[in-house]
Amino acid sequence: MTVRQISTLYFAVRPRVIGKYIGQLLIIYSILTCVPLIFCLLAGEYGFIWPYAGIVTCTAVLGLLLQQIEVNDDIRSNETLVISALIFIVAPLFAAIPFLNAGLHWSDAIFEAVSGVTTTGLSNLSTIETLPRTFLFSRAWLQWVGGLGIVVLGVAILLPHSKSTLQLFRENWYREGFISSTKAYARVVLIVYFLMTAGGFLLLVPLGVSWFDSATHVLAAVSTGGFSSFDNSLAGFNNRFIQTVIIFLSCLGAVPFILYYLAVTRGRRSFAGNVEVMGLAAAALFAAAAITMILLAVDNLPLRVAVENGTLLALSAQTTTGFSTMPVAGLSPAVKFILIMIMLIGGNVGSTAGGIKILRLLIIFKLIKLLVVRSGMPSDAVIQPRLMGKRLESVEIERCFLLVFLFLAVILLSWFLFILMGYPFLDSLFEVVSATCTVGLSTGICSTSLPVFLKGILCLDMLMGRLEVVAFLVLFYPPTWFGTKRGD
C-alpha cells in the first residue's frame, strides 16, 4: 500500500471528541485534587489552600463546560491516544502550581509534578525533610493517581463500552477474554488498587510507622513511584523489616493487576504459573545475585549488608519503583550497569511498573528461539510463534519490536544530549534510562543546578516512558490534526 493510499484511510481526530473526553477527565482530576486540599487543611498549612482550591474550581468549571459538547459515542484509536497524551501533559501543569508555595523554582515544580504523575520518582531537590508536609503528601498522591491512571478512572466512570477506549490503559487483556468490557476491566483494577493500598497501611501502621510516613510510602510503593518523605529514601527508616514490607508492596504493584482477580476467580495456578510473573521473578533474582556479588567483591561490603542492600536495590530497580537504601552515586560502575539493564527491562504489562516490560522481552526471546529451530527444519515447514499457549499475531510482533526500538531511540537521543553538555558517560545513561523507564533512581545528576533544557529533556523522557512513546508520536503527527475528518 502506497503512502498516498494510506493517507486516504487515515482520519484526523475530531476536536469535539477530544474536548468532550478531556472535559470529563478534568472533572475527575478536580475531584482527585480535593484530597491534597483536605490534607493541607488538616495539616494546618493554609498557604496551600488557595492554589488547590483554585485548581479544583478551574478544572471543574472547564471540565463541565467541555463535557457538554455533543458527540457520537464511538471514539477512534488515534483519539484515545491523543486524549491520554494530553491529560498527562495537562495534569502536571496544574499540579505544579501549589508546588511553587513550597519555595520551588518553576522548572523544579514542573519537574516534580511530571515525575509524580508519571510515577517516576526522580527529584531535583537535595533535601525534602524541611519542606511542608502538604508538598510531600501531594507528590505521593500524584504518583498514586498516576499509577492507577487518570484515564482508567475516566473509563471506569464515564467513558462508553468501546473496544478502542481500552487503548487508554491496557488493551491486551481484552483480547484474552478475561474481562467483558472496558468498564469491567477498570472496575477490577480499581478494586485491586484500593485493596493493595489499604493492605499497605495495615502492614505499616502496626510496625510503628507514623500515619504520614505510611501514607507517603504506601501511595508511592503500590504505584511503583518511589517518592519518599526522607532525604535518604528507605534508609530513613533504619529498620530492615519496614524497608522489606515497602519493597514487597512495590513488587505487588509490578505484577499485572488482572492476575489478582484471576487468582481469586480461577485459582492460584493462574497467578503462580503465569510466564510474565515467572520472568519478572527470574530477572529480579538474577539481578539481586549479581549486585550482591559485586557489592561483596568490588565495594567490599560485609556479607549481610551486601545481601540485604543488593536485594532491595535490585527489586526496587526491577519493579521501577526507585526506592533505595544506599546512595546510587557511590556504587561501582558494574552495579550501575546492571541497574541500567534491569531498569530497562522493567515490570509486567498491566501493572504500574515502567520499562520495556517482561512480556516484550519474552516475545523477543521466543522469536530468537524460533529462528534457531527453523534452521534445522525443512524450508517449506510452517511453524507459528506461540507464547502462553496462544499464537503471536504479526501485528503484536511488529508492535513489540517497534516499541522496543522507540524506547531505545528516546534513550540514545537523550543520552547524546547529556554527553554533549559534558555529563559523565555512564551516569548520564543511568539518569536517562531511569527517567524513560519511570524508575527514579539517580546518580546525582538530577539537581536544582541541572540546566532547564536538560530538565525538560528528562520530563519528556518520563512522559514518553509512561505513555510508551506512541501516544506522543500520534499527538505530534500533523495528519492527526489536519487530515481528513470523518463524523462529528
Side-chain angles (χ1 to χ4, degrees):
M1 186 175 289
T2 65
V3 174
R4 185 178 182 86
Q5 289 173 321
I6 293 174
S7 64
T8 61
L9 296 175
Y10 187 90
F11 291 98
V13 298
R14 297 161 292 179
R16 292 172 62 86
V17 173
I18 301 299
K20 170 81 171 182
Y21 292 119
I22 287 291
Q24 293 179 338
L25 293 171
L26 283 175
I27 293 173
I28 296 174
Y29 183 77
S30 175
I31 296 171
L32 292 171
T33 307
C34 290
V35 175
L37 174 60
I38 294 171
F39 182 89
C40 75
L41 289 170
L42 295 175
E45 296 173 341
Y46 303 118
F48 289 91
I49 293 177
W50 292 114
Y52 277 117
I55 293 173
V56 170
T57 303
C58 180
T59 53
V61 171
L62 182 60
L64 288 171
L65 290 174
L66 290 174
Q67 69 93 30
Q68 297 298 322
I69 299 174
E70 295 292 334
V71 298
N72 292 332
D73 285 341
D74 68 304
I75 177 172
R76 293 195 292 271
S77 297
N78 60 345
E79 290 168 340
T80 63
L81 292 171
V82 167
I83 291 168
S84 61
L86 287 175
I87 197 63
F88 272 94
I89 293 174
V90 172
L93 292 179
F94 277 114
I97 296 173
F99 289 178
L100 298 174
N101 276 35
L104 274 63
H105 185 265
W106 66 266
S107 61
D108 294 319
I110 293 176
F111 189 95
E112 297 289 316
V114 171
S115 184
V117 171
T118 58
T119 72
T120 304
L122 271 178
S123 179
N124 282 328
L125 308 179
S126 58
T127 179
I128 58 173
E129 293 180 8
T130 58
L131 295 176
R133 286 194 162 196
T134 299
F135 168 74
L136 299 178
F137 174 81
S138 299
R139 292 196 317 167
W141 178 251
L142 276 177
Q143 290 193 323
W144 190 85
V145 171
L148 178 59
I150 299 169
V151 180
V152 175
L153 292 173
V155 173
I157 300 171
L158 297 172
L159 298 188
H161 292 250
S162 167
K163 218 172 193 179
S164 62
T165 59
L166 201 55
Q167 292 185 49
L168 287 171
F169 44 101
R170 298 296 178 199
E171 64 181 7
N172 59 305
W173 296 106
Y174 189 96
R175 295 196 303 269
E176 299 294 339
F178 294 148
I179 303 296
S180 60
S181 70
T182 57
K183 283 194 174 184
Y185 176 96
R187 194 178 304 116
V188 169
V189 171
L190 280 168
I191 292 172
V192 171
Y193 207 59
F194 276 110
L195 289 176
M196 286 172 57
T197 305
F201 277 100
L202 294 177
L203 287 172
L204 285 183
V205 173
L207 296 176
V209 182
S210 69
W211 282 98
F212 176 75
D213 289 333
S214 294
T216 53
H217 288 87
V218 168
L219 294 175
V222 298
S223 63
T224 63
F227 274 143
S228 174
S229 54
F230 300 116
D231 290 338
N232 53 352
S233 192
L234 295 189
F237 284 110
N238 197 29
N239 184 306
R240 192 64 72 188
F241 188 70
I242 293 174
Q243 295 168 354
T244 302
V245 169
I246 294 173
I247 290 296
F248 171 72
L249 292 173
S250 302
C251 292
L252 293 180
V255 173
F257 288 173
I258 200 68
L259 288 184
Y260 297 111
Y261 167 78
L262 294 178
V264 173
T265 58
R266 300 188 179 184
R268 289 177 296 177
R269 292 185 62 184
S270 60
F271 184 94
N274 184 271
V275 177
E276 277 190 274
V277 175
M278 293 170 62
L280 178 66
L285 288 173
F286 173 81
I291 292 174
T292 298
M293 287 189 291
I294 296 172
L295 291 177
L296 283 169
V298 179
D299 296 87
N300 297 316
L301 295 181
L303 178 60
R304 180 175 177 180
V305 175
V307 171
E308 292 176 345
N309 285 282
T311 302
L312 287 172
L313 192 58
L315 291 175
S316 180
Q318 188 72 67
T319 60
T320 71
T321 305
F323 285 130
S324 62
T325 53
M326 59 192 307
V328 175
L331 297 175
S332 63
V335 173
K336 291 178 183 178
F337 179 76
I338 293 174
L339 289 174
I340 288 172
M341 297 306 296
I342 61 177
M343 288 192 299
L344 189 61
I345 294 171
N348 290 157
V349 172
S351 70
T352 58
I356 291 175
K357 304 293 193 306
I358 294 292
L359 179 62
R360 295 184 186 121
L361 193 64
L362 292 174
I363 291 175
I364 292 173
F365 285 162
K366 179 64 69 172
L367 293 177
I368 293 174
K369 179 182 177 181
L370 185 62
L371 181 65
V372 173
V373 170
R374 279 178 173 169
S375 67
M377 298 177 65
S379 58
D380 58 347
V382 177
I383 179 171
Q384 297 293 339
R386 300 177 70 85
L387 185 65
M388 292 188 284
K390 292 179 172 55
R391 177 182 171 182
L392 291 174
E393 302 294 338
S394 59
V395 66
E396 294 174 311
I397 297 172
E398 290 172 5
R399 182 178 176 83
C400 169
F401 277 95
L402 175 62
L403 288 172
V404 171
F405 170 78
L406 290 174
F407 254 89
L408 295 178
V410 169
I411 289 170
L412 290 175
L413 179 59
S414 302
W415 183 29
F416 173 75
L417 293 174
F418 270 82
I419 294 175
L420 202 63
M421 298 287 284
Y423 286 89
F425 187 85
L426 184 63
D427 286 357
S428 56
L429 177 61
F430 189 102
E431 218 77 2
V432 167
V433 170
S434 182
T436 308
C437 298
T438 67
V439 182
L441 292 172
S442 176
T443 58
I445 288 179
C446 278
S447 66
T448 54
S449 62
L450 187 70
V452 173
F453 170 72
L454 292 182
K455 291 178 185 177
I457 293 298
L458 290 179
C459 283
L460 286 174
D461 289 342
M462 290 186 280
L463 288 168
M464 287 192 285
R466 180 67 174 87
L467 294 167
E468 297 191 329
V469 188
V470 175
F472 266 82
L473 294 181
V474 174
L475 177 65
F476 294 108
Y477 180 51
T480 296
W481 300 98
F482 305 110
T484 304
K485 291 181 172 60
R486 183 177 67 180
D488 293 338

